[in-house]
């Protein structure tokens, strides 16, 4: 077992670094965490997988950069849910501490990569909506599928590189520095830098969406004034405005679900956390699954294209189900006619 400097308020752990972070003390707490993770995680994987299927099974939708970014967001939420639920439940519920420092940092890097990619995908979507609304005549030239895929590739590589820095050596065991009170083996300076990165991303997203909403309001006023002569262009503007409002709802849910976690992370850098606050952090961490679970619901309710694709898939499934139910009857009818002949 790797050992390094442990939090001062966890000195009673007798040198076992991993056990110092197992803060759930009662069976009721462990059962509650297990149920929340199981429910949110299962729904998140199902819903986001459905979003990916709806996007990439429809040629008209998957060609649009906006939905490529939404697909990246759904993929990040799926990966985060799977990695988070497996590692979080295994650690806090089953108290499994037999794995090495490298394995834990590998799991933590996967969660950080997925969340960072999710946030970065929202930022790319915000920029995409801003270009679409502010420069509609040049949008198709500026935002091509090739540029969208390139941006997504750079996004995921950058997020993975930053998330796996602790595994590559920036951890408190290698540096013999102060460890975080919330995460085993994580250096406080790295956690501070990661929080700053996340805050910068959130700030950029809020700034971009402020401009998107401002431009959207201008377009709404323009459409009301020139309704008769705008025609097709107004229809596309309405779709842009609708998608912009949808993604603002996604951002609002993101801020609501992740604010408690980020606040406690920031607080842990400047002050010592009590055992009660560390338990609160463990329960607040499950809100990330709630966020990932709510996002696809917002897409289905707000995006007409995704909703139409979902209705087509459901109707196709109903037709197949009806055909499979009728096929045995048709087969028996065919057999009886052959016997009579």
């Amino acid at each position: 077992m790797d050992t390094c400097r442990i939090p001062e308020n966890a000195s009673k752990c007798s040198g076992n670094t991993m056990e110092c972070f197992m803060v759930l003390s009662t069976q009721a707490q462990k059962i509650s965490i297990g149920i929340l993770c199981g429910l949110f995680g299962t729904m998140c994987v199902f819903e986001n997988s459905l979003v990916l299927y709806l996007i990439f099974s429809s040629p008209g939708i998957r060609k649009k950069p906006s939905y490529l970014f939404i697909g990246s967001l759904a993929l990040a939420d799926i990966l985060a849910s799977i990695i988070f639920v497996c590692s979080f439940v295994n650690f806090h519920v089953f108290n499994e501490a037999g794995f090495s420092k490298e394995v834990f940092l590998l799991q933590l890097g996967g969660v950080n990569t997925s969340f960072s990619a999710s946030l970065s995908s929202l930022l790319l979507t915000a920029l995409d909506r801003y270009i679409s609304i502010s420069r509609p005549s040049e949008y198709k030239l500026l935002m091509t599928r090739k540029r969208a895929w390139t941006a997504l590739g750079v996004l995921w590589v950058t997020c993975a590189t930053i998330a796996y820095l602790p595994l590559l050596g920036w951890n408190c065991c290698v540096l013999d520095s102060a460890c975080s009170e919330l995460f085993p083996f994580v250096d406080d300076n790295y956690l501070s830098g990661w929080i700053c990165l996340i805050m910068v991303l959130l700030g950029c997203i809020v700034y971009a969406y402020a401009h998107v909403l401002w431009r959207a309001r201008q377009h709404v006023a323009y459409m009301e004034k020139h309704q008769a002569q705008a025609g097709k262009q107004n229809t596309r503007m309405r779709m842009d405005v609708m998608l912009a409002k949808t993604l603002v709802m996604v951002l609002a849910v993101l801020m609501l679900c992740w604010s408690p976690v980020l606040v406690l992370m920031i607080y842990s850098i400047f002050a010592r956390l009590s055992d009660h606050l560390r338990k609160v952090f463990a329960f607040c961490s499950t809100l990330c699954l709630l966020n990932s679970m709510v996002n696809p619901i917002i897409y289905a309710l707000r995006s007409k294209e995704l909703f139409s694709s979902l209705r087509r898939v459901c109707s196709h499934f109903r037709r197949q189900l009806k055909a499979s139910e009728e096929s045995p009857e048709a087969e028996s009818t065919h057999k009886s006619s052959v016997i009579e002949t």
Side-chain angles (χ1 to χ4, degrees):
M1 174 67 63
D2 299 272
T3 57
C4 47
R5 191 180 307 176
I6 63 176
E8 294 181 27
N9 66 336
S11 58
K12 59 184 179 181
C13 297
S14 303
N16 191 331
T17 309
M18 300 295 285
E19 288 184 356
C20 300
F21 297 87
M22 297 176 180
V23 295
L24 302 182
S25 55
T26 66
Q27 195 67 21
Q29 293 173 353
K30 294 178 181 180
I31 292 175
S32 299
I33 285 288
I35 292 175
L36 289 175
C37 288
L39 177 62
F40 293 163
T42 303
M43 292 298 296
C44 175
V45 171
F46 171 76
E47 292 172 359
N48 283 286
S49 298
L50 180 61
V51 169
L52 284 178
Y53 176 78
L54 293 177
I55 291 175
F56 290 100
S57 65
S58 175
I61 294 179
R62 68 169 178 259
K63 291 180 180 179
K64 298 182 178 181
S66 304
Y67 289 100
L68 290 180
F69 298 146
I70 292 177
S72 174
L73 177 63
L75 177 62
D77 287 338
I78 291 174
L79 294 177
S81 299
I82 294 174
I83 300 173
F84 178 87
V85 169
C86 293
S87 59
F88 197 78
V89 171
N90 190 44
F91 186 80
H92 284 290
V93 177
F94 298 108
N95 296 137
E96 179 60 47
F99 45 85
S100 64
K101 173 190 70 177
E102 288 75 18
V103 172
F104 178 84
L105 293 178
L106 182 67
Q107 294 174 347
L108 184 63
V111 175
N112 288 346
T113 298
S114 303
F115 172 58
S116 302
S118 176
L119 207 57
S120 300
S121 298
L122 276 176
L123 178 58
L124 287 181
T125 309
L127 296 176
D128 172 77
R129 288 301 86 202
Y130 177 74
I131 295 173
S132 176
I133 291 180
S134 62
R135 305 173 71 176
S137 59
E138 305 173 39
Y139 173 75
K140 290 187 177 180
L141 296 176
L142 294 174
M143 189 58 67
T144 62
R145 293 183 73 246
K146 183 178 179 180
R147 289 181 178 178
W149 281 112
T150 302
L152 289 175
V154 173
L155 178 157
W156 279 90
V157 171
T158 303
C159 291
T161 302
I162 295 174
Y164 283 105
L165 285 177
L167 182 62
L168 298 175
W170 191 353
N171 59 73
C172 55
C173 296
V174 173
L175 301 177
D176 193 25
S177 56
C179 293
S180 167
E181 294 187 355
L182 295 173
F183 305 100
F185 313 119
V186 174
D187 179 72
D188 256 345
N189 292 327
Y190 170 80
L191 182 60
S192 301
W194 188 81
I195 292 173
C196 289
L197 172 64
I198 297 303
M199 298 302 291
V200 168
L201 286 175
L202 287 173
C204 291
I205 292 173
V206 172
Y207 179 80
Y209 275 123
H211 282 274
V212 167
L213 286 179
W214 176 64
R215 297 292 302 199
R217 291 188 63 183
Q218 286 186 327
H219 279 315
V220 170
Y222 174 83
M223 287 186 292
E224 291 176 352
K225 186 177 181 181
H226 302 85
Q227 184 112 19
Q229 52 185 335
K232 185 178 179 180
Q233 185 178 6
N234 274 347
T235 302
R236 189 171 63 79
M237 284 183 180
R238 288 192 188 94
M239 293 175 61
D240 290 338
V241 171
M242 176 68 74
L243 188 53
K245 292 180 179 179
T246 298
L247 295 168
V248 169
M249 292 174 62
V250 172
L251 177 61
V253 173
L254 178 78
M255 296 290 291
L256 181 64
C257 291
W258 280 92
S259 293
V261 172
L262 290 176
V263 168
L264 287 173
M265 284 184 185
I266 295 173
Y267 182 77
S268 71
I269 296 174
F270 298 101
R272 190 179 304 174
L273 293 178
S274 64
D275 289 340
H276 175 71
L277 284 179
R278 294 167 73 205
K279 290 179 182 179
V280 171
F281 178 80
F283 277 92
C284 288
S285 298
T286 61
L287 289 176
C288 67
L289 294 177
L290 178 62
N291 168 68
S292 300
M293 186 185 72
V294 170
N295 283 346
I297 298 175
I298 298 176
Y299 305 151
L301 293 178
R302 299 283 299 179
S303 173
K304 291 184 178 180
E305 290 177 300
L306 281 181
F307 189 72
S308 299
S309 180
L310 178 60
R311 285 196 303 179
R312 285 196 301 269
V313 170
C314 292
S315 61
H316 178 69
F317 177 76
R318 283 197 299 267
R319 286 196 301 269
Q320 283 188 332
L321 187 62
K322 186 177 181 180
S324 64
E325 291 176 350
E326 293 176 350
S327 58
E329 298 177 3
E331 185 177 352
S332 64
T333 303
H334 175 71
K335 286 183 178 180
S336 63
S337 63
V338 170
I339 292 175
E340 289 175 0
T341 304

